[in-house]
């Protein structure tokens, strides 16, 4: 049976779908802008301190909202969530150090390779061959990243580009670990997220204590209004708002639709970097950005529902 056209779908149904889609689109826009915001408030010396501040503002709210669920977690679920939190800490460290040393445009587009790496890693683990279409999409995306990072001429990729690439690989490990850790499969998503972020904050705090860099409080004292606005944006909009919108939306629409809308994140990262930060990727870089966006979109379709 053919799908109903937009004209035959009741107006109320279309309006409800739009009201669900719009907050998800805002999440993708916020995530796209998060690289520019992180770059604006962080230096190579304050990465860990800023990460403590960012998530220390979030975790107490999550604990208060999900206290009952946290108390219901089993010991195995706590251990599994804490292990995922260690991986998550590594992801945030790589992403934040990476964005300090590259452009916001590059960071947002390179990190989107997670959508390609994850199905490839899953295929390797399950020993199933990915489709030719998906492999073509992966090659297109990788070629796009090469062009993107060489927009000013063919040189070695920057340290930031390599760190963001490692972050994309770490995200893939996190996704696979979450899918394959039996203890956390039945855990409440809010509780699982709270334990992961809480573990990450403990890691960041420990690194601050032994690393000799500025403390979170010292970093906060140096913040002006712009830096505080950036921190609030990362904490409230890119973390708290994003998490609760995803939980709310997945009960009202399909997981594939949620994934499709959130998958526009790299597009918004490029828009923010070029329009607000004045990134100038050059003709090669622009061609690479188009290839990355096209390859990841093609790859999402080729990977099938499981990847979405």
């Amino acid at each position: 049976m053919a799908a109903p056209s937009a004209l035959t779908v009741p107006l109320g149904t279309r309006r409800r779908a739009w009201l669900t889609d719009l907050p998800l689109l805002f999440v993708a826009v916020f995530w796209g802008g998060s690289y520019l915001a992180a770059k604006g408030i962080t230096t190579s010396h304050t990465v860990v301190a800023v990460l403590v501040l960012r998530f220390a503002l979030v975790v107490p709210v999550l604990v208060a909202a999900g206290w009952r669920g946290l108390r219901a977690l089993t010991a195995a679920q706590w251990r599994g969530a804490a292990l995922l939190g260690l991986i998550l800490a590594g992801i945030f460290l790589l992403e934040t150090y990476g964005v300090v040393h590259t452009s916001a445009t590059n960071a947002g587009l390179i990190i989107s390779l997670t959508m390609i790496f994850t199905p490839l890693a899953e295929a390797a683990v399950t020993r199933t061959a990915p489709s030719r279409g998906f492999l073509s999409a992966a090659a297109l995306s990788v070629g796009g990243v090469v062009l993107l990072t060489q927009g000013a001429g063919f040189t070695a990729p920057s340290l930031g580009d390599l760190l963001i690439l490692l972050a994309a690989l770490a995200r893939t490990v996190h996704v696979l670990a979450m899918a394959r850790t039996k203890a956390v499969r039945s855990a409440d998503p809010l509780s699982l997220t709270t334990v992961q972020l809480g573990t990450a904050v403990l890691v960041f705090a420990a690194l601050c204590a032994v690393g000799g860099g500025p403390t979170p409080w010292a970093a906060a004292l140096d913040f002006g209004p712009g830096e505080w606005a950036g921190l609030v944006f990362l904490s409230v909009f890119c973390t708290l708002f994003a998490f609760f919108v995803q939980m709310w939306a997945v009960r009202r629409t399909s997981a594939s639709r949620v994934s499709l809308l959130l998958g526009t994140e790299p597009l918004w990262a490029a828009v923010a970097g070029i329009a607000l930060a004045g990134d100038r990727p050059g003709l090669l870089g622009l061609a690479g950005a188009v290839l990355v966006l096209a390859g990841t979109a093609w790859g999402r379709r080729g990977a099938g529902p499981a990847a979405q």
Side-chain angles (χ1 to χ4, degrees):
M1 181 181 294
S5 70
L7 293 177
T8 61
V9 176
L11 179 61
T13 301
R14 278 185 282 153
R15 185 174 296 164
R16 284 193 297 272
W18 174 247
L19 289 175
T20 302
D21 289 350
L22 190 59
L24 285 168
L25 192 58
F26 275 129
V27 170
V29 172
F30 294 153
W31 281 353
S34 66
Y35 303 98
L36 185 57
K39 190 174 181 68
I41 67 173
T42 312
T43 69
S44 58
H45 300 293
T46 61
V47 166
V48 180
V50 169
L51 285 172
V52 172
L53 292 171
R54 174 180 175 178
F55 295 107
L57 294 176
V58 170
V59 172
V61 178
L62 294 178
V63 170
W67 179 248
R68 186 174 299 178
L70 285 171
R71 293 181 62 186
L73 291 178
T74 65
Q77 288 173 330
W78 275 94
R79 288 193 298 270
L83 176 61
L84 292 172
L86 291 176
I87 302 173
L88 194 64
I91 293 170
F92 282 119
L93 287 167
L94 288 168
E95 283 185 357
T96 312
Y97 275 113
V99 80
V100 168
H101 296 288
T102 190
S103 67
T105 301
N106 279 22
L109 289 166
I110 294 172
I111 202 69
S112 71
L113 288 179
T114 302
M115 291 183 279
I116 296 295
F117 291 157
T118 301
L120 287 176
E122 203 166 31
V125 170
T126 59
R127 297 182 181 180
T128 58
S131 67
R132 290 182 180 179
F134 181 80
L135 290 176
S136 299
L140 192 67
S141 295
V142 172
V145 166
V146 171
L147 291 179
L148 177 71
T149 59
Q150 306 304 312
F154 286 95
T155 59
S158 71
L159 172 62
D161 294 332
L162 295 175
L163 290 173
I164 296 294
L165 186 62
L166 288 175
L169 291 170
R171 279 195 184 190
T172 297
V173 172
H174 185 261
V175 171
L176 292 181
M178 188 176 295
R180 292 181 168 275
T181 304
K182 294 181 179 179
V184 302
R185 289 179 187 171
S186 59
D188 169 57
L190 176 57
S191 302
L192 182 60
T193 300
T194 303
V195 176
Q196 287 187 77
L197 290 181
T199 302
V201 169
L202 291 176
V203 171
F204 303 146
L207 290 175
C208 269
V210 301
T215 66
W217 330 121
L221 288 174
D222 286 337
F223 279 1
E227 286 81 6
W228 276 111
L231 183 65
V232 169
F233 174 74
L234 289 170
S235 297
V236 176
F237 293 97
C238 297
T239 307
L240 277 179
F241 175 81
F243 175 74
F244 285 112
V245 164
Q246 287 179 86
M247 283 189 63
W248 168 80
V250 80
R251 297 168 183 165
R252 289 163 173 80
T253 187
S254 67
S256 294
R257 193 170 182 86
V258 171
S259 181
L260 179 66
L261 290 162
L262 296 182
T264 62
E265 173 192 347
L267 172 63
W268 301 114
V271 169
I274 293 171
L276 300 179
D279 292 346
R280 295 294 180 263
L283 290 177
L284 281 179
L286 288 174
V290 170
L291 290 181
V292 171
L293 293 171
T296 51
W298 184 12
R300 289 165 67 83
R301 296 192 194 97
Q308 297 177 351

